[in-house]
């Protein structure tokens, strides 16, 4: 379902007020969401649902009492308290209003209770339970009063009093099974037995009772609400879909009701509904432009799943502004400093990890964890910074000198901090749930150590252990508690190491705990494709394309989903383009590549497209670019150089050779040797590919150009220097990762550029590693008397890695410029 334009126009403002709370007893995964006393009171019962709850209060008092019960059913607790107090002002002897005012000081699902305020409310009616009982006007009212008295009786532990209250509500329900209020509050009391951990039998009973009420009263707000709470885990949520749909419609003025529907949608991975529900909640809660913590957290998470990262970032900015103002004492903390800090941590962590924003300033944010109450929230505050650092440390080269080693040390130091905290917490008898999640995150970071060291099996063993520990924690509701599901991370590693069947198995298990995550679906599509299950892969890509239909233009994986849902789906039915695997010789090596050719008769211009250093093209990347050029009339060849892709087993890949020779990036010996290989064996493979394409019967050998990205961009420049018969060269991000530190390569490229007589276009995105190649290489071509031009495009994605992958991630940005350049050089005319 599409978000309406009116709702999509809502934007957060700063500074903000957080409208929902975080209970001290709840884990990071379950940060709570109680009503905000600063929220505007609805003022009437309109838009809260409808109930019939007869009492003997005066008519005016009864109207306020009814409104209070509706607010209570919708968990707008502060407003409910005020409604019951107004009812008492209108009828001071109304025992039911006093009893329900006291009841409103317990928030069962969130394990919160203000016993002092509740007892004060009861005493305001009469000083003792016996005196209060005498003020009840009917036996039924007296039974309600006794139940509430049991909830606050004596100095017994809360769990004991919760159980006593639930038993009293069971008796009330048994005494009149047709009374919907007794039934619904009994269901709620069963949910309240959780004591911060889901109690399966009690939740099942609450579902059964709520369903019975709904059969007679299908629009009862309490029954709808409590049914949703009873089934808002991934295994059960499908049973709550109808309740969520109805609840969202019958209580439009209740912000919590609007948000509550997303408990079902998030458990099913229905991101459109998650976003829509929480935008509605924001609008209902916040007519004056305030936002709320828990719902905002889920809203931002849903937006990231939709690829709407920029919108998610704006909501996160609001939360961080509020948190900073609270910390500085400039804004009162609606629900306390701990709540502000917790939501700031959780939202930032989710954004960095789910948007893979490893280079964003957010990925280096350090939070003061002093006020965070739960060990798993404290672990998250360290985990996301360490995890991002580990991803940066795994890169092939440094962004700045020594940056990878600095990131590795940062990840290690934060891992040790989490580990030490976990040891102390276990010794102190910390609750199993939060500690289990913290220990799972510790294992995940230990796995990243092995990933950095290129030991995938060791990393996988730890990730599976982390998954088992996380999955053993009782599920409550909401977002993944570890921020990054460990089996999803395992699947990433398995795909990189070409083990798609194992990756698929991990993803299927991950789905049980964190359904519908977009990255998991993308990995599933890739695994299915690698296994030859094309039709299933197409279905996944189509689902992703629908989820990402409103994604940021620069969202990195959007193009792959479009390709999978269109080009891949069409298969061989695209009659205008033929795809073949072609063999070609490079010296004694028998190399291979993929050829895209127009099926129209005649001899066509041709383009050789060169891949980077780490491997040959992925199918989606190759297909997108290959069909783009072939549709324009170019025979397009994607050769795999020695040792990689279709040429595996033929010679040695350049990265493997450098590693075998014991050379380390940024070392002077590495710089010299890598430059030597580029200008000899690697260039030899490229020239062999050019010769092979010229020999094709449907290619005009006088109209051949070369293009490539990164390492392939370097080879594009070298090929243009070595072969003046080429008609054009388009270099994407050539040497951007090496320019600052590899002096031999930089000097060789600049010297060669001055000898180039082939028209050259150098292009990059503004958030690439180093933009000097686009400035300096075309200038060097021109200085030598050649035709050279450079063009920078807007930043794409979330980091320099995305910017460096500009060629395959955002072809819509460069397509027209590059095609016009090629047409001018290859066809002797500008684009019509």
């Amino acid at each position: 379902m599409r978000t309406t334009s009116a709702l999509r126009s809502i934007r957060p403002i700063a500074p903000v007020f957080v409208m929902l709370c975080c209970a001290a007893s709840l884990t990071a995964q379950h940060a709570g969401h109680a009503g905000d006393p600063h929220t505007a009171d609805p003022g009437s019962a309109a838009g809260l649902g409808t109930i019939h709850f007869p009492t003997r209060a005066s008519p005016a008092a009864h109207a306020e009492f009814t409104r209070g019960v509706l607010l209570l059913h919708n968990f707008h607790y502060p407003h409910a308290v005020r409604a019951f107090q107004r009812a008492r002002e209108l009828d001071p002897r109304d025992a039911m209003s006093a009893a329900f005012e006291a009841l409103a000081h317990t928030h069962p699902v969130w394990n919160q209770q203000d016993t002092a305020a509740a007892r004060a409310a009861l005493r305001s009616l009469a000083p003792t339970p016996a005196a209060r009982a005498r003020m009840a006007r009917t036996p039924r009212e007296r039974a309600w009063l006794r139940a509430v008295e049991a909830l606050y009786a004596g100095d017994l532990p809360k769990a004991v009093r919760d159980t006593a209250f639930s038993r009293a509500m069971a008796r009330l329900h048994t005494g009149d099974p047709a009374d919907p209020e007794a039934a619904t509050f009994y269901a709620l009391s069963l949910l309240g037995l959780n004591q911060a951990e889901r109690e399966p039998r009690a939740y099942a009973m609450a579902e059964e009772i709520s369903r019975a009420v709904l059969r007679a009263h299908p629009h009862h707000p309490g029954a709808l609400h409590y049914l949703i709470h009873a089934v808002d885990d991934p295994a059960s949520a499908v049973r709550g879909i109808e309740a969520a749909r109805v609840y969202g419609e019958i209580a439009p003025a209740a912000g919590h009701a609007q948000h509550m529907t997303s408990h079902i949608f998030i458990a099913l991975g229905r991101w459109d509904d998650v976003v829509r529900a929480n935008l509605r909640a924001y609008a209902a809660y916040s007519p004056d432009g305030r936002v709320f913590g828990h719902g905002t957290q889920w809203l931002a998470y849903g937006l990231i799943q939709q690829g709407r990262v920029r919108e998610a970032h704006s909501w996160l900015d609001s939360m961080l502004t509020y948190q900073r103002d609270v910390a500085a004492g400039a804004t009162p903390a609606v629900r306390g400093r701990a709540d502000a800090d917790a939501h700031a941590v959780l939202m930032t962590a989710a954004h960095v990890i789910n948007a893979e924003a490893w280079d964003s300033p957010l990925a280096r944010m350090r939070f003061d964890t002093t006020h965070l109450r739960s060990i798993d929230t404290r672990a998250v505050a360290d985990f996301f910074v360490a995890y991002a650092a580990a991803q940066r440390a795994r890169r092939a080269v440094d962004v700045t000198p020594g940056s990878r080693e600095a990131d590795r040390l940062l990840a290690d130091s934060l891992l040790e901090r989490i580990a030490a905290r976990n040891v102390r917490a276990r010794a102190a008898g910390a609750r199993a749930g939060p500690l289990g999640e913290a220990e799972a995150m510790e294992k995940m970071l230990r796995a990243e150590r092995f990933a950095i060291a290129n030991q995938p099996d060791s990393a996988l063993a730890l990730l599976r252990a982390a998954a088992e520990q996380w999955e053993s924690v009782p599920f409550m509701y909401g977002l993944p508690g570890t921020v990054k599901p460990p089996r999803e991370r395992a699947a990433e590693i398995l795909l990189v190491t070409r083990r798609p069947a194992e990756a698929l198995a991990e993803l299927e298990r991950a789905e049980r705990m964190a359904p519908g995550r977009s990255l998991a679906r993308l990995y599933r599509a890739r695994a299915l494709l690698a296994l030859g299950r094309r039709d299933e892969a197409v279905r996944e890509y189509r689902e992703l394309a629908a989820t990402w239909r409103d994604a940021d233009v620069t969202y990195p994986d959007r193009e792959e989903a479009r390709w999978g849902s269109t080009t891949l789906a069409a298969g061989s039915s695209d009659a205008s383009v033929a795809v073949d695997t072609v063999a070609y010789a490079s010296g004694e090596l028998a190399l291979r590549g993929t050829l895209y050719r127009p099926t129209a008769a005649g001899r066509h211009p041709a383009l050789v497209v060169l891949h980077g250093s780490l491997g040959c093209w992925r199918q989606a990347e190759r297909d997108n670019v290959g069909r783009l050029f072939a549709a324009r009339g170019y025979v397009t060849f994607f050769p795999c150089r020695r040792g990689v892709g279709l040429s595996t087993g033929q010679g040695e890949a350049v990265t493997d050779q450098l590693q075998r020779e014991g050379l380390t990036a940024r070392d002077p010996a590495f710089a010299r040797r890598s430059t030597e290989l580029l200008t000899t064996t690697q260039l030899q493979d490229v020239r062999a590919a050019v010769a092979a394409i010229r020999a094709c019967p449907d290619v005009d050998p006088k109209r051949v150009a070369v293009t490539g990205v990164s390492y392939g961009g370097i080879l594009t420049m070298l090929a243009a220097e070595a072969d003046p018969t080429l008609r054009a060269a388009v270099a994407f991000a050539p040497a951007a990762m090496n320019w600052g530190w590899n002096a031999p390569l930089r000097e060789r490229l600049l010297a060669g550029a001055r000898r180039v007589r082939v028209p050259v276009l150098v292009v990059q995105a503004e958030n690439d590693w180093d933009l000097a190649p686009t400035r300096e290489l075309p200038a060097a071509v021109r200085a030598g008397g050649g035709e050279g031009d450079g063009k920078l495009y807007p930043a794409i994605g979330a980091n320099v890695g995305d910017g460096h992958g500009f060629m395959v991630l955002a072809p819509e940005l460069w397509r027209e410029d590059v095609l016009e350049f090629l047409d001018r050089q290859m066809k002797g005319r500008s684009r019509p």
Side-chain angles (χ1 to χ4, degrees), residues 4 131 252 305 361 512 574 609 710 722 726 751 766 778 823:
T4 64
Q305 302 304 315
R512 302 172 197 169
D574 183 358
V609 189
S710 187
L726 291 169
E766 288 182 341
D823 285 353

Side-chain angles (χ1 to χ4, degrees), residues 57-58 61 84-98 121-122 124-126 135 137:
S58 67
F84 294 129
Q85 289 171 343
R86 283 194 290 271
R88 290 279 311 287
E89 292 169 3
L90 295 166
D91 186 346
R93 295 184 59 80
D94 180 28
M96 288 294 281
S97 294
L122 290 171
S124 69
L125 178 67
M135 296 183 70
R137 289 164 170 162

Side-chain angles (χ1 to χ4, degrees), residues 222-244:
L224 291 165
H225 190 175
Y226 310 146
L227 172 61
I228 291 170
H229 269 298
V231 298
D232 62 351
D233 63 287
S236 311
V238 69
R239 302 199 302 272
I241 291 176
E242 183 59 25

Side-chain angles (χ1 to χ4, degrees), residues 518-533:
S518 293
L519 281 177
R521 299 202 76 153
L522 181 65
Y523 302 150
R524 179 177 172 81
R526 290 174 180 171
L528 289 166
L529 194 58
L531 291 168
R533 294 159 63 177

Side-chain angles (χ1 to χ4, degrees), residues 33 225 228-229 232 244 247 255-264:
H33 42 264
H225 190 175
I228 291 170
H229 269 298
D232 62 351
Y247 192 33
H256 180 75
Q258 299 305 312
H259 161 74
M260 192 65 218
T261 64
S262 70
H263 277 236
I264 296 300

Side-chain angles (χ1 to χ4, degrees), residues 489-540:
R489 176 62 180 135
E492 291 176 1
I493 294 174
L494 288 163
L495 284 173
V496 169
T497 54
R498 299 181 183 179
R499 295 151 71 178
E502 292 179 67
L504 196 58
E506 293 294 340
L507 291 167
E508 287 172 352
R509 295 187 68 179
E511 184 74 6
R512 302 172 197 169
M513 291 290 288
R517 283 173 51 83
S518 293
L519 281 177
R521 299 202 76 153
L522 181 65
Y523 302 150
R524 179 177 172 81
R526 290 174 180 171
L528 289 166
L529 194 58
L531 291 168
R533 294 159 63 177
R534 194 183 76 171
D535 290 345
E536 294 173 82
V538 166
R539 284 196 292 272
E540 291 292 337

Side-chain angles (χ1 to χ4, degrees), residues 255-603:
H256 180 75
Q258 299 305 312
H259 161 74
M260 192 65 218
T261 64
S262 70
H263 277 236
I264 296 300
F265 304 138
I266 209 164
L268 296 172
R270 297 191 175 197
W271 308 117
D272 289 0
D273 289 325
V274 169
V275 169
R276 180 172 177 268
N278 285 293
L279 284 173
R280 281 185 167 183
Y282 172 81
Y285 263 123
S286 313
D288 55 352
R290 297 181 243 177
V291 298
F292 54 98
H294 174 82
T296 305
Q297 179 193 3
W298 289 26
L299 170 59
Y301 184 84
L303 287 168
I304 291 175
Q305 302 304 315
Q306 291 181 320
R308 295 159 64 182
V309 177
R310 291 182 180 178
E311 288 182 67
H313 202 308
S314 70
W315 291 97
L316 172 58
D317 283 345
S318 272
M319 186 65 242
L320 291 175
T321 298
Y322 166 77
Q323 186 266 343
R324 284 192 295 267
D325 288 347
V326 167
T331 294
V334 174
R335 290 288 166 184
R337 169 74 185 271
D339 174 75
D341 287 356
H343 281 110
V345 166
L346 296 172
M347 286 183 69
T348 305
H351 189 95
V352 168
I353 289 179
N354 291 290
E356 298 187 325
W358 315 134
D359 297 292
S360 165
L362 292 170
R364 293 174 169 84
M365 285 192 69
R366 304 300 296 124
F367 289 94
D368 179 1
T369 61
T370 305
H371 301 277
L372 298 177
R373 298 174 178 138
S374 185
I375 186 172
D376 50 350
T377 316
R378 291 186 176 190
V380 169
D382 294 326
F383 174 83
F384 83 90
V385 179
Y387 188 85
Q391 305 318 302
R392 296 192 299 269
R394 292 176 57 244
R395 288 173 173 159
V397 298
D398 286 333
V399 179
T400 57
S403 63
R404 286 182 303 158
E405 178 62 14
D407 281 324
R408 186 188 66 77
L409 292 173
L410 173 60
D412 283 350
S413 68
L414 291 171
L415 165 60
E416 296 310 319
R417 174 174 164 148
I418 291 173
R421 185 189 298 124
N422 288 346
V423 168
R424 293 193 300 270
R426 181 167 288 281
R431 283 179 44 238
L435 180 58
E437 291 194 358
E439 290 180 338
M441 285 181 263
E442 177 187 338
K443 289 183 175 68
M444 290 182 71
L445 290 179
R446 294 194 186 282
E448 291 306 311
R449 280 181 169 173
F450 289 110
I452 293 170
N454 196 28
Q455 299 178 39
D457 288 338
S458 298
L460 289 167
L462 275 168
L463 287 168
R464 286 166 175 152
E468 290 173 4
Q469 182 160 17
W470 178 46
E471 290 159 2
S472 70
V473 174
F475 187 91
M476 287 295 286
Y477 54 81
L479 314 185
T482 59
V483 186
K484 177 71 170 179
R487 294 195 189 278
E488 183 178 290
R489 176 62 180 135
E492 291 176 1
I493 294 174
L494 288 163
L495 284 173
V496 169
T497 54
R498 299 181 183 179
R499 295 151 71 178
E502 292 179 67
L504 196 58
E506 293 294 340
L507 291 167
E508 287 172 352
R509 295 187 68 179
E511 184 74 6
R512 302 172 197 169
M513 291 290 288
R517 283 173 51 83
S518 293
L519 281 177
R521 299 202 76 153
L522 181 65
Y523 302 150
R524 179 177 172 81
R526 290 174 180 171
L528 289 166
L529 194 58
L531 291 168
R533 294 159 63 177
R534 194 183 76 171
D535 290 345
E536 294 173 82
V538 166
R539 284 196 292 272
E540 291 292 337
Y541 278 127
R542 282 177 172 160
E543 291 288 340
L544 276 173
T547 298
W548 290 340
R549 64 180 176 273
D550 295 323
D552 298 347
V553 173
T554 55
Y555 187 68
D557 300 309
R558 186 186 61 148
E559 285 300 316
E560 182 178 343
R562 288 184 178 179
W563 164 82
S565 61
T566 54
T567 303
L568 178 65
S572 60
S573 64
D574 183 358
S576 66
V577 177
V579 184
D580 302 302
T581 299
V582 174
Y584 67 104
S586 178
E588 296 181 354
L589 300 177
L591 307 182
R592 303 171 77 199
T594 304
L595 187 72
Y596 291 76
R597 54 184 177 83
T599 55
R603 306 188 87 180

